[in-house]
């Protein structure tokens, strides 16, 4: 999957075409027995953001002190052989941040079995990925993680 994505990125394919090719490839290889959720984003030096969410936790955009959940989504790749993928396009301003997390972040549990959840994520994401990691760690205490725990943050610094 990573190799297929890399080859498509190297060709500078449009994101929707890329996801159609990746989806077809994965369906051919695993015949619907496995699928993957992912977010793929391309950010130009001018601040133009293209993004496709394939069944993943919705990314959060932190812009001008506001948090916007980018809920537009598509099917995971590898689930059905024929699928279209819609992208989001927007222009970021200097200092805007895009926060991506795996479901292991939102589904981190405390000692009572309560999930960290999307509301808590949105409440702490304005201060960046370190604050998210600290908030989840404080929330779960000694309760071990039961899933992968990945946080990625993309910050648009403006044109050089």
């Amino acid at each position: 999957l990573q190799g297929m994505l890399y080859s498509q990125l190297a060709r500078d394919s449009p994101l929707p075409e890329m996801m159609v090719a990746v989806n077809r490839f994965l369906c051919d290889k695993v015949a619907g027995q496995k699928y993957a959720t992912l977010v793929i984003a391309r950010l130009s030096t001018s601040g133009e953001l293209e993004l496709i969410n394939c069944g993943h936790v919705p990314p959060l955009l932190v812009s001008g002190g506001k948090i916007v959940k980018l809920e537009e989504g598509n099917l995971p790749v590898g689930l059905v052989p024929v699928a279209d993928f819609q992208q989001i396009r927007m222009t970021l301003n200097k200092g805007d941040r895009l926060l991506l997390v795996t479901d292991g972040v939102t589904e981190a549990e405390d000692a009572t079995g309560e999930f960290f959840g999307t509301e808590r994520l949105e409440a702490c994401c304005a201060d960046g990925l370190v604050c998210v990691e600290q908030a989840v760690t404080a929330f779960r205490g000694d309760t071990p993680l039961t899933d992968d725990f990945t946080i990625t943050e993309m910050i648009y610094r403006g044109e050089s």
Side-chain angles (χ1 to χ4, degrees):
L1 182 59
Q2 288 175 333
M4 183 64 176
L5 284 168
Y6 179 79
S7 70
Q8 293 295 310
L9 286 167
R11 291 182 49 224
D12 201 27
S13 299
L15 294 186
E17 289 178 24
M18 183 185 310
M19 288 298 90
V20 167
V22 168
N23 182 63
R24 187 171 40 246
F25 171 80
L26 196 55
C27 284
D28 288 347
K29 292 294 180 191
V30 297
Q33 294 178 16
K34 293 190 179 213
Y35 63 89
T37 67
L38 62 93
V39 173
I40 189 155
R42 181 181 287 149
L43 180 61
S44 71
T45 56
S46 67
E48 177 75 20
L49 175 70
E50 303 169 78
L51 181 138
I52 295 181
N53 182 350
C54 299
H56 206 66
V57 176
L60 298 173
L61 176 66
V62 181
S63 178
K66 295 181 182 173
I67 298 161
V68 179
K69 187 190 309 183
L70 304 178
E71 295 189 79
E72 298 86 348
N74 299 273
L75 291 172
V77 293
L79 197 58
V80 294
V82 179
D84 289 324
F85 295 90
Q86 305 301 313
Q87 71 179 348
I88 300 169
R89 284 181 172 263
M90 63 182 62
T91 302
L92 300 185
N93 298 307
K94 186 175 182 177
D96 285 356
R97 294 184 292 109
L98 185 68
L99 189 76
L100 303 161
V101 302
T102 57
D103 60 358
V105 174
T106 55
E107 294 175 3
E109 297 179 50
D110 67 5
T112 68
E114 184 177 351
F115 287 152
F116 183 73
T118 304
E119 287 181 18
R120 286 185 184 90
L121 176 62
E122 290 178 27
C124 66
C125 74
D127 294 323
L129 69 95
V130 171
C131 290
V132 172
E133 190 275 331
Q134 291 171 344
V136 174
T137 299
F139 171 79
R140 67 183 183 84
D142 292 331
T143 305
L145 293 169
T146 58
D147 201 352
D148 64 302
F149 186 91
T150 305
I151 307 167
T152 303
E153 183 176 51
M154 180 170 55
I155 304 169
Y156 178 59
R157 304 256 186 230
E159 291 189 67
S160 297

